[in-house]
Amino acid sequence: SEHRISAAHFFDAANAQPCTEIPQKLAEMASPACRGTIVPAPSYDAEADAGVLRKAMKGLGTDEDAIINLLVKRSNAQRQEISKKFKVMYGKDLIKELKSELSGNLENAVLALMETRYEAKLLRRAIKGAGTDEQCLIEILCTRSNAEIQQIKDDYKAEFGRDLEKDVTGDTSGHFKRLLV
């Protein structure tokens, strides 16, 4: 079942007060069902993985299953290492190779997996311009550890030259703002 969360989940609308069940709701959100499922592969070899990807894209046709099966079983840090190794071994940019071999929704999904600073980009998109994607803010900021949030803040600063906390507080208000920062 899909988790649809909005700011309303944290407020008692009848009394315009914060919901007294916030800790329980946050615990539910941080449960494994709401957390990322891609964790670092315990034993992987970036060089071997680069070879698998090269083989999947070499010659006529593309072995999409091989690409999917490899990338979804590696953490973002491992995927970035594989990308660097691919460049060293074959002199080609892995992202460009994937773009040329894939198309449509599969291309979009694979390229999203290869993104650096992906959560920082999602947060920027959630608060930039008119309106705020509250669900995105909640899903990312309320379900990550302090260390993960610090990394996201660092990524946000590096990617956009802006302070994430200031942007979030400038785009939210009241109890919802206090919940997030």
Side-chain angles (χ1 to χ4, degrees):
S1 72
E2 183 178 334
H3 295 296
R4 304 285 304 163
I5 302 166
S6 70
H9 284 83
F10 298 99
F11 299 95
D12 177 354
N15 298 317
Q17 295 293 319
C19 177
T20 57
E21 300 168 348
I22 288 176
Q24 179 183 350
K25 289 184 182 294
L26 289 176
E28 289 169 5
M29 289 172 52
S31 73
C34 291
R35 298 284 301 175
T37 57
I38 299 175
V39 296
S43 60
Y44 93 107
D45 178 349
E47 190 170 315
D49 286 354
V52 168
L53 291 174
R54 175 74 174 143
K55 182 179 176 187
M57 295 184 283
K58 192 174 180 182
L60 211 54
T62 302
D63 186 351
E64 294 174 346
D65 288 339
I67 294 169
I68 294 165
N69 287 329
L70 187 130
L71 294 179
V72 301
K73 295 177 182 170
R74 303 295 182 262
S75 69
N76 190 281
Q78 289 173 330
R79 289 190 298 268
Q80 300 313 312
E81 190 176 331
I82 293 165
S83 183
K84 289 176 188 172
K85 187 61 78 171
F86 191 92
K87 178 74 169 176
V88 169
M89 291 172 64
Y90 305 107
K92 296 182 178 192
D93 181 78
L94 179 57
I95 303 299
K96 288 181 182 175
E97 292 295 303
L98 290 166
K99 282 182 183 180
S100 73
E101 295 289 331
L102 305 172
S103 63
N105 289 337
L106 178 59
E107 177 187 3
N108 293 338
V110 169
L111 294 178
L113 283 171
M114 296 302 298
E115 281 272 353
T116 57
R117 303 179 176 143
Y118 185 66
E119 289 172 322
K121 291 174 183 176
L122 288 176
L123 288 169
R124 181 71 181 140
R125 198 174 310 141
I127 57 180
K128 186 178 178 187
T132 302
D133 184 347
E134 295 172 345
Q135 181 177 346
C136 179
L137 294 178
I138 293 167
E139 285 182 12
I140 294 174
L141 296 175
C142 294
T143 63
R144 302 302 189 268
S145 69
N146 287 341
E148 290 169 325
I149 290 173
Q150 185 58 53
Q151 182 62 55
I152 293 168
K153 286 173 64 175
D154 294 345
D155 289 348
Y156 191 90
K157 182 74 168 178
E159 186 72 21
F160 304 109
R162 302 175 61 93
D163 181 80
L164 176 60
E165 189 170 336
K166 285 182 183 176
D167 282 356
V168 169
T169 58
D171 212 55
T172 57
S173 62
H175 297 297
F176 185 57
K177 175 169 63 174
R178 288 197 320 219
L179 172 72
L180 294 175
V181 293

